[in-house]
Amino acid sequence: MQLGVIGLGSMGGGMARAASARGLKVTGYDIRPTRIEGITAAASPAEAAAGADILLVMVVNAHQLEVALFGENGALAALPEGAVVVSSATIPAEDAVRIGERVEAAGHPYLDAPVSGGAARAASGELTFMASGSEAAFAKAAPMLDACAAKVFRLGPKIGIGSTVKTVHQLLAGVHIAAAAEAMALGVRAGADATELFEVISNAAGRSWMFENRVPHMLARDFTPHSAVEIFVKDLGLVLDTGRSLRFPLPVAAAAHQQFLAAAAAGLGGEDDAAVVKVYERLAGIEVKGS
């Protein structure tokens, strides 16, 4: 079984490693020359797709997805007949529908399959997939899903539902990170020890997965970008665009988006998304740091 992967960043690269470790033959392409042990490097999206039974595309946005599939040296023209395309990019649902229809018109099943779990779970093959598409798409993608997923939510045949669910997920993820930063900064400003505050909340009802995962980055002052501030500038922007299109108010998401925008404006866009805490730190003259 051959897997082509386009996008070898922290998520796509981890997924490629997990698939290779479970016996799939993997060829990967990234716009930045990237070499991963056990993965055959491709010089273009077309080269990554040539001979593939499954093509996984893990890029940042819909524009990158379209270029990877349909652009110069694009993957779709080189993909063998009947091979499945799996998009795990976080994109608007309407873009997923439009791109999926174009892929399927070319004779390839399309799986709208965003993921959650972060770089560590990508590398260990323990991601959560939020996937929608035809039964044929799920069946053809099964070897990759088995290699990369701890849980696959099958959300029906309608392309776009996977992306809709991921949009809602990103609303919560972004709000939880911003709220964790705000809570920790408030506690430190009021005189609480940051480490003790983290331990208490991690064992009480106010905790969240994002709180438990991101606050240690703050305490260690380690803002290596596992998921960057700019990702939530984009993803919460997508959430707000979705709300506008539906005439649906999203005041909490909007407030969180403003905090990530503030972090990006302060030059923190390339740092880990936990660096949103620095917005509060600079305003209050404090540092959220472990004891």
Side-chain angles (χ1 to χ4, degrees), residues 58-75:
M58 175 53 102
V59 292
V60 171
N61 54 37
H63 172 71
Q64 290 186 4
L65 177 59
E66 289 189 280
V67 169
L69 292 174
F70 313 122
E72 185 177 357
N73 292 318

Side-chain angles (χ1 to χ4, degrees), residues 138-167:
F138 276 104
K140 287 179 177 288
M144 184 278 295
L145 296 172
D146 290 344
C148 295
K151 180 72 176 179
V152 178
F153 286 96
R154 298 172 67 113
L155 302 172
K158 186 177 178 182
I159 294 170
I161 297 300
S163 288
T164 295
V165 172
K166 180 61 187 291
T167 298

Side-chain angles (χ1 to χ4, degrees), residues 3-262:
L3 172 67
V5 179
I6 300 175
L8 296 172
S10 59
M11 294 296 293
M15 294 165 80
R17 289 186 189 92
S20 177
R22 287 160 177 79
L24 278 70
K25 182 180 178 182
V26 183
T27 300
Y29 168 77
D30 196 276
I31 194 169
R32 296 164 294 189
T34 303
R35 295 199 174 275
I36 299 174
E37 186 177 353
I39 310 303
T40 301
S44 68
E47 190 174 318
D53 302 290
I54 305 165
L55 180 68
L56 169 66
V57 188
M58 175 53 102
V59 292
V60 171
N61 54 37
H63 172 71
Q64 290 186 4
L65 177 59
E66 289 189 280
V67 169
L69 292 174
F70 313 122
E72 185 177 357
N73 292 318
L76 203 66
L79 199 61
E81 182 178 354
V84 63
V85 175
V86 180
S87 171
S88 289
T90 300
I91 62 174
E94 58 267 28
D95 287 331
V97 172
R98 176 174 51 81
I99 293 169
E101 287 176 347
R102 188 172 175 185
V103 169
E104 293 197 329
H108 300 282
Y110 183 89
L111 203 62
D112 174 27
V115 299
S116 177
R121 292 189 181 185
S124 64
E126 297 178 291
L127 291 171
T128 295
F129 280 75
M130 312 162 204
S132 62
S134 66
E135 288 296 324
F138 276 104
K140 287 179 177 288
M144 184 278 295
L145 296 172
D146 290 344
C148 295
K151 180 72 176 179
V152 178
F153 286 96
R154 298 172 67 113
L155 302 172
K158 186 177 178 182
I159 294 170
I161 297 300
S163 288
T164 295
V165 172
K166 180 61 187 291
T167 298
V168 176
H169 175 276
Q170 292 305 89
L171 185 162
L172 289 167
V175 166
H176 287 173
I177 295 169
E182 185 168 290
M184 291 300 299
L186 172 64
V188 170
R189 183 70 170 84
D193 177 84
T195 299
E196 291 178 347
L197 180 60
F198 170 68
E199 291 174 353
V200 169
I201 294 175
S202 294
N203 288 280
R207 70 187 185 275
S208 69
W209 190 94
M210 283 298 190
F211 181 91
E212 294 180 332
N213 185 266
R214 296 307 202 268
V215 173
H217 300 182
M218 304 173 196
L219 298 178
R221 311 308 294 173
D222 180 3
F223 298 104
T224 303
H226 301 287
S227 173
V229 164
E230 287 288 1
I231 294 295
F232 277 99
V233 173
K234 174 186 76 77
D235 287 0
L236 285 173
L238 166 58
V239 169
L240 297 176
D241 287 344
T242 301
R244 275 191 292 272
S245 71
L246 296 170
R247 295 295 183 266
F248 190 88
L250 297 166
V252 178
H257 189 232
Q258 287 297 308
Q259 293 306 105
F260 285 103
L261 279 173

